[in-house]
Amino acid sequence: MTKKKKSILSDQRFIVLLVIIVLFAIFSFKSREFRQYTTILSMLDFSYYDLLMAIGVTFPLITGGVDLSIGTGMVCYALIAGSLVRNNNLPVVLAMLLCIVLGIIVGAANGVLIGIMNLPPFLATLCTCMITRGAGSLCSATPWPGLTQEGGWFHSIFKITVGTGRSASRYPIGFLWMIILVLVMEYVLNHTKFGRYTIAIGSNKEAAALSGINVKFYHVMVYVVCGLFTGLAAIAYAAVTPTVQPGTGAGLEMDAIGGVFVGGVAATGGYGSVIGTLAGIFVIMLLKTGLPYIGLQANWQQIITGAVLIIAVLIDIMKEKKAAAKEAVEQGFSENKTQFESELQMAKNEELEAQTKKEDADAALKDAQAKKTDAETERSKAQKKYDEAIAQNGELTQADVDQAQNAEEAKKALEAANDELAAVQKQFTSAQELLQNCSDRKKAADEDYDEAVKKNKLNGQQTLEAKQQLDEKQTALDNA
């Protein structure tokens, strides 16, 4: 239960959700106008194209890249398609498809420049940013058809209007489509081959290539997906902007990219969440919408938004350092533990082997002692008979000589038994020394293992203290 709670509280998406609630509460308390339905509706309208751009750019950012062309590209596609609608009577549905196709083409061009030609993502997308901005400037200011005009039905994709005039009711149905898109792309990121390979490329591009992933192909596809969502953003932008102005769009990508980082995408790539991107975009939109209602103008809005981004990146860096420190301690403890356990097991095996040799030597010693005892008994019997024969006869008979030879043979057998006993005793002493040596080594291995465990526990305690300090700093940053 505690671990689960701790995991939730350390999730940046949960923290961002708390920030959204706090910001909404502050702005609602400070300004009555902010609480009005029209304000929330307007904020949602202008969040659609930012969110669509952010969903798309999440994938390049996870790979460790970036796409700076999404802002000017979105305006460029809307201008080109809108000009065709106004000047050439192109059906709106075809204009919408044209926005998507243009987005995919530019995205594929970015992918080829970065994934195949190995240009730095910043440089490649900066070039396409300039190209799309220039292409958009060739068009004149273009309003798409209004809601009541022919072809204005596309506005209803994002907002349904019931009634007319001041009594009309407006419902932000576009928010529902955004939620569906976020859930779909979150599934794509975490449960499909494309998503897993995207994360793998961001984590370690070289390792991904060595594991058999077609890195170039998936690198291109990442930017194609980004271009697709930029095209969708162009449609949303045309739906909420009365007139699309040429030469604009530069800087719009920063809100999208900033929202992605606030939502928890790692600054170095390899990790991210589309749901986190949704939360991050709403933090940016709350700041842009709510700050004017408490008296802060545009300059202060940019300063505060930039500070929020710095804090978000710092939190991400702190999390990475904390995770790396924890992993290093755990890996070191695991390696030391394995080494000492191996040495301890080897000492135990040697001790068991020495014990077996000692038991064999002990059995051989008992057998030699028994043979010695038998030889001494036979020698005593022979000597006794020999002495009796000398005492009775006073001279040696052939039988006495034979008896004496038997006694001499028994003496030799006794000497051989003594030699064998000495050899076995020497073997037994050697086995005892080996056993003692093994016991000493086992004892030393036990002591080293215990010392290593204590040392790693101490390192774990130091890591825990460092983690607590990081948590305190993170809390201070959250409060800030």
Side-chain angles (χ1 to χ4, degrees):
M1 183 68 182
T2 304
K3 288 184 179 180
K4 185 176 181 181
K5 182 178 180 181
K6 185 177 179 181
S7 177
I8 292 175
L9 292 177
S10 63
D11 192 333
Q12 188 162 335
R13 292 173 295 183
F14 180 78
I15 296 173
V16 174
L17 179 60
L18 292 180
V19 171
I20 291 174
I21 295 173
V22 171
L23 287 176
F24 189 84
I26 292 174
F27 294 144
S28 298
F29 177 76
K30 290 285 187 179
S31 173
R32 180 182 301 176
E33 290 79 7
F34 182 82
R35 299 195 299 266
Q36 294 179 357
Y37 177 72
T38 54
T39 303
I40 306 302
L41 186 63
S42 176
M43 183 178 67
L44 290 176
D45 284 342
F46 285 95
S47 70
Y48 296 149
Y49 62 83
D50 272 341
L51 178 57
L52 288 168
M53 285 193 295
I55 293 173
V57 81
T58 296
F59 290 83
L61 289 173
I62 289 176
T63 64
V66 70
D67 191 346
L68 299 177
S69 68
I70 55 178
T72 55
M74 175 186 69
V75 174
C76 175
Y77 313 148
L79 280 168
I80 293 174
S83 297
L84 292 175
V85 171
R86 285 292 181 182
N87 302 329
N88 301 89
N89 296 321
L90 182 72
V92 171
V93 64
L94 293 181
M96 295 167 63
L97 289 175
L98 179 61
C99 288
I100 296 174
V101 171
L102 289 174
I104 292 174
I105 291 173
V106 174
N110 285 332
V112 170
L113 291 173
I114 296 167
I116 296 178
M117 301 180 68
N118 293 323
L119 265 68
F122 180 88
L123 177 61
T125 57
L126 180 62
C127 294
T128 52
C129 171
M130 298 170 65
I131 292 171
T132 51
R133 185 176 184 179
S137 299
L138 298 176
C139 303
S140 59
T142 304
W144 282 52
L147 180 62
T148 58
Q149 297 175 339
E150 182 182 357
W153 57 268
F154 80 100
H155 291 272
S156 300
I157 297 175
F158 303 98
K159 182 168 57 181
I160 294 178
T161 302
V162 179
T164 57
R166 293 185 177 181
S167 61
S169 299
R170 297 174 176 83
Y171 303 97
I173 190 174
F175 183 70
L176 175 62
W177 305 134
M178 297 301 110
I179 294 298
I180 292 174
L181 279 175
V182 166
L183 294 177
V184 169
M185 297 312 293
E186 179 75 8
Y187 178 84
V188 170
L189 180 62
N190 293 307
H191 300 284
T192 66
K193 182 167 68 174
F194 171 74
R196 291 193 297 270
Y197 287 176
T198 298
I199 296 173
I201 292 171
S203 299
N204 192 322
K205 183 178 178 180
E206 289 74 15
L210 291 174
S211 65
I213 297 175
N214 190 344
V215 172
K216 293 183 177 180
F217 172 78
Y218 285 100
H219 220 153
V220 173
M221 291 305 299
V222 161
Y223 286 90
V224 169
V225 169
C226 184
L228 167 66
F229 277 91
T230 304
L232 293 174
I235 299 172
Y237 185 75
V240 300
T241 305
T243 302
V244 183
Q245 297 292 337
T248 60
L252 294 177
E253 70 278 356
M254 293 306 165
D255 289 339
I257 294 172
V260 174
F261 282 130
V262 171
V265 170
T268 55
Y271 173 78
S273 166
V274 183
I275 293 177
T277 295
L278 171 65
I281 284 295
F282 273 100
V283 169
I284 300 297
M285 294 309 300
L286 275 172
L287 291 173
K288 290 177 63 177
T289 306
L291 290 175
Y293 282 96
I294 61 175
L296 293 178
Q297 300 306 314
N299 293 335
W300 282 104
Q301 296 173 32
Q302 294 175 0
I303 292 172
I304 294 175
T305 303
V308 169
L309 291 179
I310 291 174
I311 293 172
V313 173
L314 285 176
I315 290 174
D316 177 67
I317 292 174
M318 289 167 60
K319 286 170 59 180
E320 289 186 356
K321 287 184 177 179
K322 182 168 63 176
K326 181 180 179 182
E327 183 180 357
V329 170
E330 290 179 349
Q331 183 177 0
F333 178 75
S334 178
E335 292 176 354
N336 291 336
K337 181 180 178 183
T338 302
Q339 178 183 355
F340 283 113
E341 284 181 347
S342 177
E343 293 179 357
L344 184 61
Q345 185 62 41
M346 186 181 300
K348 289 180 178 179
N349 292 337
E350 291 180 357
E351 181 186 24
L352 181 61
E353 183 179 355
Q355 183 67 33
T356 303
K357 290 182 178 180
K358 178 180 177 298
E359 291 176 354
D360 293 341
D362 193 19
L365 178 61
K366 291 180 179 179
D367 184 56
Q369 288 175 339
K371 289 181 179 180
K372 177 185 176 183
T373 302
D374 293 341
E376 287 177 344
T377 303
E378 291 296 329
R379 181 177 179 281
S380 298
K381 289 180 180 180
Q383 186 67 39
K384 183 178 180 181
K385 289 182 179 180
Y386 179 75
D387 293 340
E388 289 177 352
I390 291 296
Q392 290 177 2
N393 301 321
E395 57 182 8
L396 294 177
T397 62
Q398 184 61 41
D400 295 332
V401 173
D402 294 339
Q403 189 68 32
Q405 290 177 350
N406 290 337
E408 188 64 26
E409 291 176 358
K411 181 180 179 181
K412 291 180 180 179
L414 178 60
E415 291 175 353
N418 284 329
D419 293 339
E420 183 179 357
L421 178 60
V424 173
Q425 283 179 332
K426 184 177 180 180
Q427 182 182 359
F428 180 74
T429 302
S430 176
Q432 280 185 320
E433 292 176 353
L434 177 61
L435 178 60
Q436 183 63 39
N437 185 27
C438 291
S439 298
D440 293 341
R441 290 182 59 189
K442 177 177 176 295
K443 183 178 179 181
D446 285 331
E447 292 175 352
D448 291 341
Y449 180 75
D450 292 338
E451 183 179 353
V453 170
K454 291 179 182 178
K455 182 178 179 182
N456 281 282
K457 284 183 178 179
L458 179 59
N459 291 337
Q461 180 65 28
Q462 293 173 348
T463 302
L464 179 61
E465 293 174 356
K467 180 179 177 299
Q468 290 175 348
Q469 293 176 359
L470 289 176
D471 290 338
E472 292 174 359
K473 291 182 181 178
Q474 182 172 341
T475 304
L477 290 175
D478 293 339
N479 293 333

